[in-house]
Amino acid sequence: MDFDRIKEKLNILADAAKYDVSCSSSGSKRKNTKKGLGDSSGMGICHSYTQDGRCVSLLKILLTNHCIFDCAYCVTRRSNDIKRAAFKVQEVVDLTISFYRRNYIEGLFLSSGIFKSPDHTMERLIQVAKKLREEENFNGYIHLKSIPGASDELMREAGLYADRLSVNIEIPTKSGLKLLAPEKNHEDFMKPMKKVKNEIIQYKQESKLIKSTPKYAPAGQSTQMIVGATGESDRDIMYSSAFFYKNYNMKRVYYSGYVPISNDPRLPALNSQVPMLRENRLYQTDWLMRFYGFDVRELLNEDFQFLDMDIDPKLTWALRNRHLFPVDINRVDKQLLLRIPGVGLKSVNKILNARKFRKLNWDHLKKIGIASNRAKYFITCDSREKELRDISSENLKSIIMQNSQSKFRKDLSNQLSLF
């Protein structure tokens, strides 16, 4: 084995993979059997994160950065003058096992540029996973990036070896995809998503009757959208996310700010990188939709197409709906408890349990862990203390901002000037 060449390939193909952020591995329960290597059950795999929230515990590489497509937003596009490389199937297998034995990684995230055809590329990705499972007896986490346009047969086989599958939708809107990637068809992204969804449903049904039914993508499927490459609004992005959650049973939708890589006139200028804060607000909105019972139309609609960069989306919603507040923390139902700014999921459950035994006051709520600097303006409790009520939403927003600190605060003025 030419170790210098392998190292060169690794540098090229690991660097090319950094633009894909959809590498969460939570949800898999593949156990170690027959004294094999690795175990993706228990606490999960993604323990280590970079400062901006990206997972670093997986070997994250492309099989190749050769690609037959010329998508304007992609660094591996056909017309881009970059150094190209490609791993052999066995090289990826050997790297994964070698890195795992050295405790560098706990799993593999494998994507690829599309070379020759979608099916040919997908076959190679599957070969890597199959060799790891069957020849190396590897039971660690494997995430395969599904190739748009791959056949149903290959998508079924991929799910038998991978813990999670994902097809990146890339651009949130059909019009944006047509503008920046005219060679691609939106339906090619939908087809493998639908196949994976149906296979997962079928597995769950069959496994209830036959315990030995082979697992199919136990960690489900995910997708990723590039934010800011076209002129889509936050409403466009989150409406697309809601569509995928509802119709394709997505585990996660990831949002990746576009990194300017080209002078193409269809794209934003090179010095106009999307603020990290915009990604953060999109993830907060995503969280409210999935865990707090919000409908996307409550947060973003024709009148409010962009998220407020100054405050989080739950507080934004509460300020727009002051007529619903204040609520009595000792009486209000769970649905509205979840909508109080500064009150999280864990705090809601603690409040519901605690108020069975006594009425809660401010001291109790602070011990429970609510963010009282926000919540106190929207609730009442077993206390004579009263907060400001008869003030406008705009003034209340200013008061809350003055009493809050954000890790993004120092970057707001500079980043937003670029957006």
Side-chain angles (χ1 to χ4, degrees):
M1 181 183 292
D2 187 343
F3 291 103
D4 289 337
R5 179 54 181 157
I6 293 294
K7 184 178 179 181
E8 182 183 17
K9 288 182 183 180
L10 187 59
N11 287 335
I12 294 170
L13 297 175
D15 183 69
K18 70 184 180 183
Y19 298 100
D20 197 323
V21 300
S22 55
C23 59
S24 171
S25 65
S26 56
S28 179
K29 294 182 179 179
R30 187 184 298 273
K31 294 183 179 180
N32 195 329
T33 57
K34 300 179 182 178
K35 298 181 180 180
L37 289 172
D39 190 333
S40 67
S41 63
M43 296 297 291
I45 299 300
C46 296
H47 307 305
S48 180
Y49 295 85
T50 61
Q51 188 175 5
D52 57 5
R54 289 169 171 78
C55 169
V56 294
S57 61
L58 307 178
L59 173 58
K60 185 178 176 182
I61 54 174
L62 300 184
L63 186 62
T64 181
N65 62 348
H66 291 276
C67 193
I68 61 175
F69 291 109
D70 200 29
C71 307
Y73 49 81
C74 185
V75 71
T76 62
R77 65 189 183 279
R78 182 179 66 239
S79 63
N80 199 16
D81 185 18
I82 59 171
K83 200 167 187 178
R84 306 285 178 172
F87 279 121
K88 296 176 182 177
V89 169
Q90 191 60 47
E91 289 174 341
V92 178
V93 173
D94 292 342
L95 274 173
T96 304
I97 297 302
S98 179
F99 278 31
Y100 179 83
R101 290 186 186 279
R102 288 169 172 79
N103 203 30
Y104 294 161
I105 60 161
E106 296 174 272
L108 172 67
F109 177 90
L110 184 61
S111 184
S112 181
I114 302 174
F115 58 103
K116 291 190 178 180
S117 70
D119 277 355
H120 180 80
T121 307
M122 197 69 220
E123 284 175 354
R124 303 269 292 182
L125 295 174
I126 293 170
Q127 285 177 27
V128 172
K130 188 173 183 179
K131 276 179 170 287
L132 283 168
R133 297 297 191 208
E134 296 186 348
E135 296 181 14
E136 302 293 342
N137 200 14
F138 181 72
N139 293 285
Y141 181 81
I142 297 178
H143 182 153
L144 291 184
K145 186 54 58 80
S146 307
I147 304 300
S151 67
D152 286 351
E153 293 76 13
L154 288 173
M155 291 309 303
R156 167 159 178 76
E157 188 177 9
L160 296 175
Y161 298 108
D163 294 282
R164 174 168 287 184
L165 297 170
S166 59
V167 181
N168 283 0
I169 194 63
E170 299 178 3
I171 301 298
T173 61
K174 290 183 181 180
S175 58
L177 184 69
K178 187 174 182 180
L179 174 67
L180 299 181
E183 298 170 300
K184 289 186 175 178
N185 186 341
H186 188 264
E187 291 305 313
D188 288 340
F189 295 90
M190 302 297 105
K191 184 181 174 183
M193 285 184 186
K194 184 177 181 180
K195 177 62 176 176
V196 173
K197 171 196 168 183
N198 292 338
E199 288 290 344
I200 291 174
I201 292 173
Q202 183 178 340
Y203 160 71
K204 289 180 178 178
Q205 292 173 341
E206 292 180 353
S207 63
K208 292 178 182 178
L209 302 174
I210 306 172
K211 297 299 181 183
S212 59
T213 302
K215 289 184 178 180
Y216 185 89
Q221 66 172 326
S222 61
T223 190
Q224 175 181 323
M225 299 180 189
I226 298 172
V227 176
T230 53
E232 71 279 338
S233 65
D234 293 335
R235 185 193 68 162
D236 296 331
I237 295 167
M238 296 314 303
Y239 276 40
S240 292
S241 294
F243 172 81
F244 289 118
Y245 280 127
K246 179 180 179 181
N247 294 285
Y248 294 94
N249 298 342
M250 287 289 164
K251 286 287 187 179
R252 288 291 305 272
V253 176
Y254 293 85
Y255 312 95
S256 177
Y258 172 67
V259 179
I261 56 171
S262 171
N263 283 315
D264 192 307
R266 295 171 293 175
L267 292 167
L270 285 176
N271 294 322
S272 58
Q273 187 161 339
V274 175
M276 184 64 67
L277 182 55
R278 189 182 183 193
E279 283 187 38
N280 179 259
R281 295 288 183 241
L282 291 171
Y283 279 115
Q284 289 174 327
T285 305
D286 184 286
W287 207 257
L288 293 179
M289 289 163 48
R290 291 193 295 136
F291 299 110
Y292 286 77
F294 281 86
D295 187 286
V296 64
R297 292 167 292 186
E298 296 179 89
L299 302 166
L300 291 159
N301 49 53
E302 192 65 37
D303 296 324
F304 303 98
Q305 298 197 28
F306 287 91
L307 296 167
D308 193 328
M309 294 294 104
D310 293 331
I311 56 177
D312 67 84
K314 191 203 275 194
L315 180 54
T316 300
W317 177 86
L319 290 173
R320 292 205 304 252
N321 293 273
R322 293 283 302 285
H323 61 282
L324 297 176
F325 301 99
V327 296
D328 186 343
I329 203 75
N330 291 296
R331 295 176 180 272
V332 68
D333 62 21
K334 183 176 181 179
Q335 183 180 9
L336 197 47
L337 266 179
L338 286 167
R339 291 169 175 244
I340 300 171
V343 180
L345 282 168
K346 290 183 179 180
S347 295
V348 166
N349 292 326
K350 290 178 181 178
I351 289 169
L352 290 172
N353 288 327
R355 73 186 191 184
K356 294 176 183 177
F357 303 99
R358 64 160 301 156
K359 290 186 176 181
L360 305 178
N361 58 34
W362 291 116
D363 289 336
H364 299 137
L365 294 174
K366 289 177 182 178
K367 290 178 181 178
I368 282 173
I370 72 167
S372 59
N373 63 323
R374 280 169 285 163
K376 64 185 180 182
Y377 301 108
F378 299 93
I379 62 177
T380 59
C381 61
D382 188 28
S383 173
R384 293 183 179 179
E385 296 180 36
K386 292 186 178 180
E387 299 298 336
L388 295 172
R389 306 290 183 201
D390 299 325
I391 57 174
S392 68
S393 293
E394 194 62 36
N395 287 339
L396 181 54
K397 174 182 173 180
S398 298
I399 292 169
I400 293 173
M401 288 180 62
Q402 288 173 6
N403 296 326
S404 302
Q405 289 186 342
S406 169
K407 62 184 178 181
F408 297 107
R409 185 69 54 201
K410 64 182 184 301
D411 299 323
L412 281 177
S413 58
N414 181 45
Q415 285 190 323
L416 290 177
S417 68
L418 300 175
F419 172 57

